[in-house]
Amino acid sequence: MTDLPHENVQSYPRPPALEPVSQLITIRLGGILVAETTRALRVLETHHAPTYYLPPEEIGATLRPASGSTFCEWKGAARYFDVIAGATTASRAAWVYDRPTARFALLARYVAFYAGLMDEAWVGDLRVLPQPGGFYGGWITSNLDGTIKGSPGTRHC
């Protein structure tokens, strides 16, 4: 059983922090294992569910470049990918920071996935729920408390 510490998203730092993840991270799409690793990193930011980033060499799905990009004041420019697992494609379901800011240099080329666009995502034996709202890519697990940004009425948390 996964023993994640109880965390309150209001106590996460700003500017955000980056830390290693010791739990097994598992992602599936179309019944196929997309990724499995114990070498993930996560970003913790006030009012956000943690965002998990996986080493590219542990991604088993095809990542096809997708249109568009975004810019994070903390991490820099992100580019997006469609995730293809067998006959299943999830559009614009993953992203990377090729050249993140110095503070987040360890994230370079690590891949993050929108949990809501995958069939399932797990942190240890805890099933992940997506951060609400569709823009942010945080992963909600049952050990989290507090108001998580993304739902209607939480824009300026």
Side-chain angles (χ1 to χ4, degrees):
M1 181 167 163
T2 301
D3 190 23
L4 293 177
H6 198 70
E7 298 176 344
N8 187 304
V9 298
Q10 271 83 256
S11 67
Y12 288 163
R14 189 165 175 89
L18 179 64
E19 65 178 29
V21 177
S22 61
Q23 292 81 19
L24 179 66
I25 304 300
T26 307
I27 302 171
R28 294 185 186 285
L29 176 65
I32 295 172
L33 184 66
V34 168
E36 189 171 62
T37 186
T38 56
R39 298 186 308 117
L41 300 170
R42 71 179 189 158
V43 173
L44 305 176
E45 181 177 357
T46 306
H47 288 286
H48 288 266
T51 303
Y52 289 79
Y53 292 82
L54 287 65
E57 62 275 9
E58 297 195 24
I59 307 298
T62 299
L63 300 179
R64 180 178 62 206
S67 63
S69 64
T70 56
F71 184 81
C72 171
E73 66 181 306
W74 307 112
K75 296 179 288 294
R79 64 185 177 105
Y80 290 80
F81 296 91
D82 298 336
V83 178
I84 304 166
T88 305
T89 299
S91 298
R92 211 161 180 246
W95 71 96
V96 299
Y97 293 95
D98 291 315
R99 291 181 298 281
T101 61
R103 180 184 188 105
F104 291 95
L106 291 175
L107 284 183
R109 295 181 307 282
Y110 270 50
V111 182
F113 294 84
Y114 283 107
L117 297 177
M118 299 293 102
D119 290 344
E120 56 186 78
W122 298 81
V123 177
D125 61 359
L126 299 180
R127 184 143 188 181
V128 171
L129 297 174
Q131 185 166 349
F135 179 74
Y136 299 110
W139 289 13
I140 299 173
T141 49
S142 60
N143 65 308
L144 298 179
D145 282 329
T147 303
I148 296 173
K149 190 174 187 173
S151 296
T154 63
R155 184 173 180 180
H156 299 290
C157 284

